[in-house]
Amino acid sequence: MALRPSPGLRTRLLSAFALLCVVTAAAVAGGMYVEARNAILKRTQDAAVDAMRSRLKTLFPLPTATPGPDELGLIVRNMMGQEGHTIAVYRGMQWRPGRLPDAPPLDADDIPSELRRTVAGGIMAWQRVEWHGAPFLVIGAPLVIDEPGRAPQVSGIEVYTVRSLLAEQRSINELAARAWLTGGAALAFAVVLALLATRGVLRPVRELGRAARLLGEGELRARVEVRGSDELADVARTFNDTAAELERHVMQLREMEADARRFVADVSHELRTPLAALAAVADVLDEEADGLPDPAGRAARLVSRETLNLTGLVNDLIEISRFDSGVAALALNEVDVAELVRATLRTRGWTEQVHTELAPAVTARLDPRRVDVILANLVGNALRHGEPPVSVRLSADQDWIAVKVRDHGPGLDAAVLPHVFDRFYKASAARARSEGSGLGLAIARENALLHQGDLTVTNAPDGGAAFTLRLPRRAPDPGGGSQ
């Protein structure tokens, strides 16, 4: 299951600033809205209750404790204000004038039952209700008969005043709209601040990333500019110090490596002259070994063999030193690749031991000597370390040639495959010194890379190791071009 990429630092900073702003604006604006709403409603409610109490005082003394419709009408007319609607109720009778502006006619059944029970119990009460989609304040009050020398008695007359809260609702809606506008403006301001903040933070981070990429590509002089004295500046200074120390160590390693290569090359060249003399003596000893007594003959043959091995090792070291110093060059010629393979096998006496499948008329512009070295190493290793049959197969397309050398032995261990072309690597530590120096395959691959080709190895499905040499049919010209 593929993981979704995480958002970048800029996105995370913008989101954090925006979220903080939204939460802060919502908390502040919400708190102010609730506070202002409650204040508006309470002020309106208190004013309406005080006005009703004042008008109730004008009703006393009551003309009768058992009013009829006319008396209820008189009570309603005395209680009516300019801003509301009044209804009087007494033992199932009710009197109301006309209708309330901006609302259908109101009667006693529209008054909340809970409010009516409270008022019927002799307590003045009020309640905000939603009626036909509009907000209203309903205030109810009982008329109490208060005669001298007697306890106040509830007369049973209930007066209800209904006041519209549409104006207050509009004010509250305006407050809500302003709160949203304030939050939106704060959000925009926070985004601008976040962009400015991310620019200041991300610019040094991007510079650090660019410098780190350059270091990874080998540009050891890459540095970042140090600005200010904050934490990012400390990071930049630390990076520069680390890069400088890394450059110093790499330069030391390169100098040591160059010294080691020069030493190997110098020693190898110095050994060629005495080795040439030793080789001549070894040839004489080898010819006379059969006529010498047994211990002396074996010693003569051993000296001859080890001298040849040492000569091969020195030649391989000299060749490796040429690759390392960059002086190895191609001597290109137009060659018939199939004939080159046959010549390699014929020169070393392997024609009868190796099965070939060579595509005809395959020509390429290559360095014959270096290709011969590659093929000799591959076929020689297959014959020494693999099992027959050993085969060489040549194929080609318009741009590339491929030579596959394989045997039918046990193949190579999985742990060995990644190191086959390493210098001085041997698959078995128990192999005798006379079986090779461990440089042959490394030199073969260097020759393939010099042609801008490649040399790879795998285990064949039916057993055995398979080396594949791929070379371009037009190797790069030594002068830098291609023909």
Side-chain angles (χ1 to χ4, degrees):
M1 180 179 179
L3 295 177
R4 290 184 296 178
S6 59
L9 182 58
R10 179 188 295 272
T11 303
R12 293 199 296 270
L13 284 174
L14 284 174
S15 301
F17 270 86
L19 180 62
L20 177 63
C21 172
V22 168
V23 171
T24 304
V28 174
M32 292 177 61
Y33 168 78
V34 171
E35 196 71 26
R37 175 180 177 275
N38 292 338
I40 290 174
L41 293 177
K42 187 175 186 305
R43 184 174 63 249
T44 302
Q45 177 180 287
D46 292 346
V49 170
D50 291 342
M52 185 172 183
R53 283 175 175 155
S54 298
R55 285 193 291 270
L56 283 174
K57 293 177 180 179
T58 64
L59 297 178
F60 296 97
L62 292 175
T64 176
T66 57
D70 293 338
E71 288 78 12
L72 290 179
L74 179 62
I75 292 172
V76 168
R77 283 191 291 272
N78 289 336
M79 290 294 297
M80 284 180 59
Q82 297 180 352
E83 71 284 355
H85 180 81
T86 303
I87 179 172
V89 179
Y90 178 71
R91 295 184 180 179
M93 292 187 302
Q94 63 175 331
W95 198 94
R96 54 183 175 80
R99 56 169 290 177
L100 186 67
D102 301 327
L106 176 71
D107 58 29
D109 294 335
D110 296 319
I111 299 173
S113 57
E114 183 179 353
L115 178 62
R116 289 206 60 183
R117 285 193 298 270
T118 303
V119 174
I123 301 173
M124 184 177 186
W126 50 89
Q127 184 177 343
R128 289 192 294 269
V129 298
E130 190 81 15
W131 185 47
H132 294 284
F136 292 91
L137 175 66
V138 181
I139 306 173
L143 295 186
V144 180
I145 300 175
D146 188 7
E147 297 180 356
R150 299 181 62 183
Q153 296 182 357
V154 178
S155 66
I157 304 172
E158 303 168 12
V159 179
Y160 296 94
T161 298
V162 182
R163 184 188 186 285
S164 174
L165 297 177
L166 279 175
E168 288 74 13
Q169 184 65 46
R170 293 190 188 100
S171 299
I172 293 171
N173 291 339
E174 289 179 3
L175 286 175
R178 290 175 185 172
W180 280 107
L181 288 175
T182 302
L187 178 60
F189 183 66
V191 170
V192 173
L193 286 181
L195 289 174
L196 294 176
T198 54
R199 179 180 300 177
V201 171
L202 292 180
R203 182 168 55 189
V205 172
R206 283 195 295 266
E207 291 181 0
L208 281 171
R210 176 190 58 81
R213 284 192 297 272
L214 290 176
L215 277 180
E217 294 169 0
E219 182 58 50
L220 300 179
R221 296 184 180 275
R223 300 292 187 273
V224 295
E225 182 180 354
V226 179
R227 300 184 181 91
S229 58
D230 56 6
E231 289 82 358
L232 289 174
D234 291 339
V235 172
R237 277 190 289 270
T238 302
F239 177 87
N240 290 340
D241 294 341
T242 304
E245 191 67 15
L246 177 63
E247 181 182 12
R248 186 178 67 83
H249 282 295
V250 169
M251 294 304 298
Q252 288 180 350
L253 290 174
R254 287 177 177 174
E255 291 174 0
M256 293 169 62
E257 183 181 8
D259 291 341
R261 288 175 178 173
R262 281 195 299 270
F263 175 78
V264 171
D266 293 343
V267 170
S268 300
H269 281 285
E270 290 297 326
L271 287 175
R272 295 188 77 174
T273 301
L275 277 176
L278 284 174
V281 173
D283 289 341
V284 174
L285 289 174
D286 196 40
E287 291 175 1
E288 300 294 333
D290 293 337
L292 296 174
D294 188 44
R298 286 201 306 271
R301 282 189 288 272
L302 178 61
V303 170
S304 176
R305 185 171 63 250
E306 292 299 331
T307 301
L308 291 176
N309 289 337
L310 183 58
T311 301
L313 173 60
V314 170
N315 289 333
D316 288 345
L317 288 174
I318 292 174
E319 186 70 8
I320 284 290
S321 68
R322 290 195 184 102
F323 286 117
D324 290 341
S325 60
V327 299
L330 297 174
L332 299 176
N333 286 294
E334 193 76 22
V335 297
D336 184 325
V337 182
E339 183 56 35
L340 177 59
V341 173
R342 294 190 190 98
T344 299
L345 300 179
R346 186 171 55 251
T347 301
R348 292 163 179 82
W350 294 336
T351 304
E352 300 298 328
Q353 304 176 56
V354 178
H355 173 70
T356 58
E357 297 178 22
L358 307 177
V362 177
T363 60
R365 186 172 174 78
L366 304 168
D367 185 329
R369 182 186 70 83
R370 295 187 180 278
V371 176
D372 175 75
V373 170
I374 299 173
L375 295 174
N377 270 288
L378 299 182
V379 176
N381 277 332
L383 292 172
R384 284 193 300 271
H385 307 301
E387 294 179 6
V390 175
S391 63
V392 178
R393 183 169 179 261
L394 169 65
S395 60
D397 57 24
Q398 182 178 356
D399 300 316
W400 294 84
I401 63 169
V403 181
K404 186 175 182 179
V405 179
R406 65 159 298 186
D407 61 72
H408 288 75
L412 298 170
D413 292 338
V416 172
L417 283 174
H419 306 287
V420 166
F421 301 106
D422 292 351
R423 297 177 185 182
F424 298 106
Y425 182 80
K426 296 182 180 181
S428 173
R431 275 172 47 186
R433 290 185 297 110
S434 59
E435 292 189 26
S437 63
L439 289 174
L441 288 176
I443 292 174
R445 193 177 192 193
E446 291 289 350
N447 279 314
L449 296 176
L450 194 61
H451 283 84
Q452 291 193 359
D454 198 9
L455 180 60
T456 58
V457 60
T458 58
N459 283 321
D462 54 345
F467 288 82
T468 302
L469 170 66
R470 293 186 75 250
L471 299 176
R473 298 189 72 162
R474 289 294 179 267
D477 187 82
S482 62
Q483 297 180 359

